[in-house]
Amino acid sequence: MSLATKAPPGHFSILYFASASSYTAKDTEHLPAPLPVSKLFDRLEEKYAGIKSRVLESCLLTVNLEYVDMPDDGSVGLVIKEGDEVAIIPPVSSG
Amino acid sequence: MESANASAAALRAKIAATEERLKLLKAQLANIEEKEAEEVEESPVTRKWPLLPDEYKRYGRQMIVPSVGIQGQLRLKDASVLIVGAGGLGCPSSAYLAGAGVGTIGIVDGDIVETSNLHRQILHNSSTVGMKKVDSIVSYLKSLNPHLKYITHPTHLTPQNAAEIVSQYELVLDCTDHPTSRYLISDTCILLQKPLVSASALRRDGQLIVLNSPPLPAGDAKGGPCYRCVFPKPPPTDSVVSCGDGGILGPVVGVMGVLQALEGIKLIVEGRLKEEQEVDGRGNTMLLFSASGSPQFRSLKMRARSSKCVACSGNAELTLEKLPGMDYAVFCGIASPIGILKPEERIEAKEYLELEQDSEKTHVLLDVREKVQFDICSLENSINIPSSSFQGTRSSSLQEGKPSWLPETVRADASIYVICRLGNDSQIVTQKLKEAGLDNNGKRAIKDIRGGLKAWKEQVNPSWPEY
């Protein structure tokens, strides 16, 4: 998150915490908007092979600091808009 | 040399004897002070004061904070808090709770203090290495605040003992280090209606959540969410990284432990431990800390309990009777020691020693630890390609034929030996190299060095630095 720059036009920001950051080797990046949340994991899987089962499926997903559910009924669900801040938050269990 | 050893031994014995004597003197003093306190309490003139003279002085600076006051201080004195885990989170959180005057503090931990704990587990010290963590931590806490009752549980929390231990307290702090204990503690707190402050930290990241607050019975939608509401699915076992494997910065886990104590103190002084207290839903947030972030702190709004939660929703089937039979290791996926290779695909560290002297370049030693570890210490002539670079299907470290990391001077049939810190990652990489066809249909041997550099230290070179 060292890079706290605003997303360029037509993009949203995505923050990777903990193991999501290790897996992508990034703290943050910008992806093209709009994007339905239901498509987000597939989009990330294309970029980072294996991330879905290794990281994303046990994560908390937030859009603009509020958490959202992955639609499980086949509907589109929430659509991520230009300028939104999405965060992928895996459980951290150590201490 | 011999005489130096002898005088060192004599000094050690002297120090031990002096420490023993010091302990005795401290115990005597504590005894006298306790009697004094009792006498003061019994005197009719002073009986109207609810705190001891020393306690007014000790807690004065926090009692004059308007949100605490004498009422808050008396609530702290009456409160009992269980701290599960006497490590990087448990040390700072218990120190602040003891400092604040929480009347009863229980500590659960089955481990002993190790030198590798000391950079972050700030209540242990070099002289308590080898001691039970619960004893080390309580000896510090007693010297910090002798007015409190400390209870040690020198065991790990298990589904069999959890209810019995947790039921003795009003508030629980989860300071543990594994998904299995996080789900167990959350479930137990739901069943016994105890609020739970859960914190965690790894590398430069931390998380803090107040759970089951207010602590209403399962099925009551007004109760606070539990750990399963937030993280219903545990992470894959082999992706769970411990502080021992992934590393941890002391101040990162320290700040999380301090914040955990703060949330605990707030719940107590605001009178929010019991379900009957009126609650306005404040404080139900998840706090994320990232040392490299900007901002470093982010606060997420939590939602209500999940209607699908298997622990706290109306459909939950969890009961106190079922708890001892729960298998959290199965739920989280069993982390059995990795053994994916055949015996002939592995060699012992001492067998590799004989090959090491080989000057004909008939083999390559591949060290798959992360670079940061390789930089600390490495074997001569080893090549460092971190195991993480073999992840994914399009990894450039796995080009068929001859990958770029194989030196030009190496013969095409040269064997590859793979080593890592403990001998797990090296097996996975060995298998991946073979699957990628680097063994040229069996012409090139690719083998794992069993037990990694830990075995190298044990079998070959005792001076190898263990970090």
Side-chain angles (χ1 to χ4, degrees):
Chain A
M1 275 119 283
S2 45
L3 192 138
T5 52
K6 249 190 100 181
H11 287 73
F12 67 91
S13 307
I14 183 162
L15 308 172
Y16 301 110
F17 286 91
S19 62
S21 162
S22 318
Y23 201 92
T24 58
K26 284 184 187 126
D27 289 332
T28 179
E29 67 181 316
H30 301 132
L31 297 175
L35 181 71
V37 282
S38 56
K39 298 268 164 62
L40 178 66
F41 284 7
D42 291 334
R43 177 82 191 77
L44 293 173
E45 179 71 25
E46 285 163 26
K47 280 191 83 145
Y48 310 102
I51 193 171
K52 206 166 160 178
S53 64
R54 304 281 305 157
V55 180
L56 299 177
E57 283 174 355
S58 52
C59 282
L60 185 67
L61 175 71
T62 70
V63 177
N64 300 326
L65 299 181
E66 291 207 31
Y67 68 90
V68 292
D69 279 321
M70 236 352 129
D72 52 9
D73 54 0
S75 66
V76 174
L78 184 87
V79 176
I80 304 165
K81 300 183 304 295
E82 171 179 341
D84 280 352
E85 186 192 73
V86 175
I88 304 288
I89 303 160
V92 171
S93 52
S94 51
Chain B
M1 195 61 196
E2 227 165 79
S3 72
N5 281 345
S7 48
L11 271 173
R12 265 185 229 115
K14 216 168 169 182
I15 290 168
T18 313
E19 274 172 354
E20 208 42 53
R21 195 168 146 64
L22 194 63
K23 232 187 258 171
L24 208 73
L25 290 173
K26 279 184 181 166
Q28 282 175 3
L29 177 66
N31 230 336
I32 293 169
E33 282 175 343
E34 216 165 279
K35 279 201 188 108
E36 267 176 10
E38 275 165 23
E39 279 161 23
V40 172
E41 259 177 317
E42 278 160 21
S43 146
V45 190
T46 50
R47 191 167 286 168
K48 63 178 176 174
W49 303 113
L51 297 175
L52 302 173
D54 177 73
E55 291 180 298
Y56 283 96
K57 277 191 205 147
R58 184 180 284 268
Y59 308 129
R61 297 289 194 275
Q62 83 184 20
M63 266 196 289
I64 60 175
V65 173
S67 57
V68 180
I70 183 70
Q71 189 194 32
Q73 193 60 54
L74 293 175
R75 281 178 173 161
L76 286 165
K77 193 180 165 105
D78 282 343
S80 56
V81 179
L82 180 68
I83 292 166
V84 189
L89 295 162
C91 282
S93 58
S94 65
Y96 278 100
L97 292 180
V102 169
T104 304
I105 295 178
I107 317 255
V108 184
D109 202 311
D111 286 340
I112 59 164
V113 181
E114 294 176 31
T115 303
S116 63
N117 300 148
L118 299 181
H119 81 290
R120 67 189 189 284
Q121 304 187 9
I122 51 167
L123 305 196
H124 308 308
N125 64 68
S126 304
S127 74
T128 64
V129 169
M131 216 166 147
K132 280 181 193 156
K133 281 190 178 175
V134 288
D135 292 336
S136 169
I137 207 168
V138 164
S139 96
Y140 179 97
L141 295 174
K142 271 185 179 161
S143 64
L144 174 66
N145 191 343
H147 299 295
L148 314 176
K149 185 176 169 195
Y150 300 102
I151 302 170
T152 57
H153 306 275
T155 169
H156 292 292
L157 206 70
T158 65
Q160 292 75 41
N161 67 21
E164 195 261 327
I165 293 175
V166 170
S167 62
Q168 303 168 38
Y169 303 87
E170 297 166 299
L171 170 67
V172 179
L173 266 53
D174 184 345
C175 304
T176 63
D177 57 2
H178 200 271
T180 50
S181 49
R182 300 215 168 255
Y183 286 102
L184 166 64
I185 293 168
S186 174
D187 287 353
T188 311
C189 286
I190 288 291
L191 290 170
L192 296 170
Q193 292 171 43
K194 312 283 182 188
L196 168 63
V197 185
S198 184
S200 60
L202 182 70
R203 298 195 178 115
R204 305 194 296 176
D205 283 334
Q207 294 177 350
L208 175 76
I209 340 173
V210 179
L211 297 165
N212 197 30
S213 176
L216 300 172
D220 190 329
K222 280 186 289 203
C226 74
Y227 194 74
R228 288 182 191 269
C229 295
V230 187
F231 295 115
K233 193 177 172 205
T237 321
D238 54 349
S239 77
V240 174
V241 181
S242 69
C243 289
D245 294 332
I248 177 75
L249 274 182
V252 169
V253 67
V255 78
M256 298 321 294
V258 171
L259 288 169
Q260 206 173 7
L262 175 63
E263 291 305 324
I265 290 170
K266 276 163 62 186
L267 287 173
I268 296 167
V269 301
E270 291 169 13
R272 290 162 57 200
L273 295 184
K274 303 279 183 334
E275 52 174 298
E276 59 266 26
Q277 297 294 332
E278 206 46 51
V279 181
D280 61 5
R282 275 177 312 169
N284 281 344
T285 59
M286 177 195 263
L287 187 69
L288 300 177
F289 173 73
S290 183
S292 51
S294 159
Q296 286 187 318
F297 289 98
R298 278 187 165 78
S299 186
L300 311 177
K301 263 180 243 157
M302 300 275 280
R303 284 190 310 200
R305 285 180 172 174
S306 159
S307 57
K308 289 181 239 160
C309 182
V310 300
C312 70
S313 73
N315 306 319
E317 286 176 7
L318 191 69
T319 62
L320 272 176
E321 290 69 40
K322 282 188 194 162
L323 185 67
M326 293 276 288
D327 196 328
Y328 289 88
V330 167
F331 170 64
C332 294
I334 302 162
S336 49
I338 294 178
I340 52 178
L341 299 177
K342 292 187 223 90
E344 61 270 24
E345 294 174 293
R346 312 179 71 182
I347 67 164
E348 295 293 328
K350 55 179 184 292
E351 291 174 58
Y352 177 74
L353 175 67
E354 289 156 29
L355 298 161
E356 198 202 8
Q357 279 92 18
D358 142 51
S359 56
E360 300 287 306
K361 297 275 181 210
T362 54
H363 84 275
V364 170
L365 178 61
L366 182 64
D367 187 329
V368 297
R369 292 174 298 155
E370 291 304 312
K371 181 177 182 299
V372 67
Q373 296 190 35
F374 186 80
D375 287 345
I376 295 171
C377 48
S378 61
L379 292 175
E380 232 175 296
N381 300 322
S382 56
I383 298 171
N384 180 221
I385 306 292
S387 58
S388 59
S389 73
F390 294 95
Q391 253 173 19
T393 44
R394 294 188 296 269
S395 170
S396 60
S397 301
L398 286 172
Q399 297 141 324
E400 226 172 299
K402 196 167 174 181
S404 54
W405 49 266
L406 263 182
E408 287 300 320
T409 49
V410 166
R411 287 165 31 183
D413 61 346
S415 313
I416 299 175
Y417 295 97
V418 189
I419 197 163
C420 67
R421 188 179 178 191
L422 301 171
N424 291 329
D425 290 344
S426 57
Q427 294 180 57
I428 295 167
V429 172
T430 300
Q431 198 180 43
K432 281 190 176 170
L433 293 177
K434 289 191 161 186
E435 283 167 4
L438 253 80
D439 62 348
N440 293 341
N441 294 323
K443 275 179 233 149
R444 181 204 293 283
I446 303 178
K447 291 186 181 185
D448 160 57
I449 299 180
R450 193 192 291 267
L453 290 159
K454 187 167 181 272
W456 180 258
K457 181 182 176 74
E458 285 160 6
Q459 296 174 11
V460 178
N461 182 357
S463 79
W464 178 260
E466 188 185 351
Y467 57 88

